């Protein structure tokens, strides 16, 4: 367990350099833990759940800083095929570049997907799909 312990100065430097807000929270939790704060106090101070603090501290104690890194998420595969996604991207690009009277909305794209591919998407999922382009 001691092989993973970092001194507070090292942790403070890592926290200042860290750009990812979630990782910064995890490092702050570890820093407060090493300062002798209870997990309840840490959760209250950082405005996160005690369950999260428990998980982060356990990961740190078992695997060090490496244990705090987020694991890749693969997520659910797209309902649309690769070719359909390409067609959708072309449609969006064409409509966006025309600069016509109205702007292309998420609702327009949602309707296009349903008419062209027979797939119903929630509007929030349409925007997530667009973000991937």
């Amino acid at each position: 367990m001691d092989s993973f312990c970092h001194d507070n100065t090292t942790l403070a430097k890592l926290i200042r350099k860290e750009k990812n807000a979630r990782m910064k929270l995890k490092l702050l939790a570890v820093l407060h833990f090493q300062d002798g704060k209870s997990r309840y106090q840490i959760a209250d101070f950082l405005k996160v759940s005690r369950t999260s603090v428990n998980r982060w501290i356990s990961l740190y104690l078992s695997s060090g800083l490496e244990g705090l890194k987020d694991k890749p998420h693969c997520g659910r595969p797209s309902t649309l095929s690769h070719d359909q996604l390409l067609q959708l991207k072309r449609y969006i690009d064409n409509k966006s570049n025309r600069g016509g009277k109205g702007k292309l909305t998420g609702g327009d794209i949602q309707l296009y997907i349903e008419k062209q591919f027979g797939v119903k998407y929630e509007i929030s999922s349409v925007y997530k799909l667009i973000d991937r382009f």
Side-chain angles (χ1 to χ4, degrees):
M1 179 173 11
D2 289 349
S3 64
F4 291 125
C5 289
H6 296 82
D7 65 37
N8 287 359
T9 308
T10 305
L11 281 172
K13 285 180 184 176
L14 287 172
I15 291 166
R16 279 194 300 278
K17 288 181 184 176
E18 184 59 51
K19 301 222 185 306
N20 181 294
R22 185 167 167 76
M23 182 58 143
K24 195 174 273 207
L25 273 177
K26 294 175 185 182
L27 292 170
L28 281 166
V30 169
L31 180 67
H32 289 300
F33 178 74
Q34 288 187 346
D35 279 344
K37 302 283 190 280
S38 75
R39 294 174 192 211
Y40 287 104
Q41 289 171 316
I42 297 167
D44 186 50
F45 180 74
L46 296 177
K47 305 291 187 238
V48 296
S49 72
R50 192 179 50 81
T51 306
S52 293
V53 172
N54 284 338
R55 186 173 54 251
W56 299 338
I57 299 301
S58 295
L59 286 168
Y60 176 74
L61 293 175
S62 66
S63 304
L65 293 175
E66 195 63 33
L68 295 178
K69 292 182 180 174
D70 284 332
K71 310 297 180 268
H73 301 282
C74 57
R76 185 173 140 190
S78 176
T79 306
L80 300 179
S81 72
H82 178 71
D83 289 341
Q84 289 171 326
L85 288 171
L86 287 175
Q87 181 181 335
L88 178 61
K89 183 169 177 15
R90 281 191 303 272
Y91 168 76
I92 293 170
D93 289 345
N94 289 338
K95 289 288 187 181
S96 299
N97 292 334
R98 281 199 186 144
K101 292 180 184 173
K103 285 194 165 219
L104 186 63
T105 67
D108 296 333
I109 296 168
Q110 182 183 35
L111 191 60
Y112 178 83
I113 292 171
E114 190 173 342
K115 284 185 176 182
Q116 289 294 313
F117 311 123
V119 176
K120 290 186 181 209
Y121 267 85
E122 293 291 327
I123 195 71
S124 60
S125 297
V126 169
Y127 287 114
K128 287 177 190 171
L129 198 58
I130 294 167
D131 284 343
R132 289 184 12 207
F133 292 148

